[in-house]
């Protein structure tokens, strides 16, 4: 290259890199808390289009993952609200009469049972999140639906009484269906909880 051509080449280089700088700036400005629908990549040179498309695909995958995480967090909070209330009530009852050994033992037994249910609920919710993410498969087995509904109604019995509601399982004993037991439990539990609290 002649001296004049070299000078013209290097002078135009910054202008040629401007689209790449705009793309880099858009990526830098993106925040996890408020991800854009897509990067403003209009008027990019053809050479940068694949990079822009890849960045936008990544943004969409991140948005889906964040939404999944928000749903999981909301589900856990919803499912733990009732057992946490039960734990507080049981502990207050135990502390109300610490001299009555039988009274305290019953309260502690309740605390143990509720804590066990909480652990199972969290495990199930995490499984649902993994199913949603495609990292775990759906298990199928025969489930006694009458027994399941009866157990869940019993767990909500106190809240139903507070609202002067009568709850009963009208499913015939021995009625079964094929499903993932832990997933079905969460679904039925949510339906009953919504009915009792609505």
């Amino acid at each position: 290259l002649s001296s004049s051509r070299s000078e013209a080449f290097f002078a135009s280089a910054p202008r040629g890199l401007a689209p790449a700088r705009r793309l880099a700036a858009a990526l830098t400005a993106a925040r996890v808390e408020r991800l854009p629908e897509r990067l403003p990549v209009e008027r990019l040179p053809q050479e940068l289009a694949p990079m822009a498309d890849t960045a936008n695909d990544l943004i969409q995958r991140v948005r889906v993952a964040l939404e999944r995480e928000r749903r999981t967090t909301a589900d856990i909070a919803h499912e733990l609200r009732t057992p946490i209330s039960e734990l507080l009530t049981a502990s207050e009852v135990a502390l109300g009469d610490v001299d009555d050994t039988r009274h305290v033992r019953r309260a502690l037994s309740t605390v143990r049972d509720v804590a066990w249910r909480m652990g199972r609920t969290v495990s199930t919710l995490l499984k649902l999140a993994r199913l949603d993410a495609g990292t775990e498969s759906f298990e199928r087995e025969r489930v006694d639906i009458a027994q399941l509904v009866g157990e869940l109604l019993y767990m909500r019995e106190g809240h139903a009484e507070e609202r002067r509601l009568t709850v009963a399982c009208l499913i015939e004993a021995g009625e079964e269906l094929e499903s993932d037991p832990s997933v079905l439990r969460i679904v039925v539990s949510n339906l009953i909880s919504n009915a009792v609290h609505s």
Side-chain angles (χ1 to χ4, degrees), residues 4-181:
S4 59
R5 287 183 178 179
S6 298
E7 291 174 3
F9 174 79
F10 286 112
S12 64
R15 291 194 299 273
L17 292 176
R21 291 197 185 95
R22 288 200 304 271
L23 180 59
L27 284 169
T28 302
R31 293 289 180 269
V32 173
E33 302 82 13
R34 297 182 61 183
L35 283 174
E37 289 289 337
R38 61 191 302 275
L39 295 176
V41 293
E42 293 76 13
R43 296 177 298 168
L44 280 178
Q46 186 176 356
E47 295 78 8
L48 289 178
M51 185 186 301
D53 291 339
T54 300
N56 279 324
D57 288 344
L58 177 59
I59 286 176
Q60 291 307 312
R61 290 199 298 272
V62 172
R63 288 172 65 89
V64 169
L66 288 175
E67 181 57 33
R68 185 184 300 123
E69 183 179 331
R70 293 189 188 100
R71 283 201 308 270
T72 301
T73 302
D75 289 343
I76 290 175
H78 175 77
E79 287 298 318
L80 294 185
R81 179 178 58 188
T82 297
I84 286 175
S85 175
E86 293 176 6
L87 286 177
L88 289 172
T89 300
S91 59
E92 288 171 358
V93 168
L95 291 171
D97 191 359
V98 294
D99 294 328
D100 187 336
T101 304
R102 292 179 58 193
H103 184 77
V104 172
R105 287 181 63 87
R106 282 198 303 270
L108 287 176
S109 178
T110 300
V111 169
R112 179 200 58 198
D113 293 343
V114 173
W116 180 83
R117 291 203 322 262
M118 289 174 69
R120 184 173 62 180
T121 296
V122 171
S123 297
T124 302
L125 288 169
L126 291 176
K127 177 177 181 176
L128 285 173
R130 291 193 292 269
L131 285 169
D132 193 27
T135 59
E136 189 166 330
S137 59
F138 192 85
E139 299 175 4
R140 291 184 178 276
E141 62 181 79
R142 303 298 295 180
V143 180
D144 187 327
I145 188 65
Q147 180 180 342
L148 174 63
V149 172
E151 290 176 4
L152 294 174
L153 286 177
Y154 177 76
M155 290 165 53
R156 296 290 193 276
E157 198 173 60
H159 295 277
E161 290 177 353
E162 290 175 4
R163 292 175 169 268
R164 298 180 180 178
L165 300 174
T166 300
V167 295
C169 179
L170 302 180
I171 303 173
E172 293 185 9
E175 188 73 26
E176 294 184 343
L177 56 81
E178 190 175 276
S179 180
D180 187 304

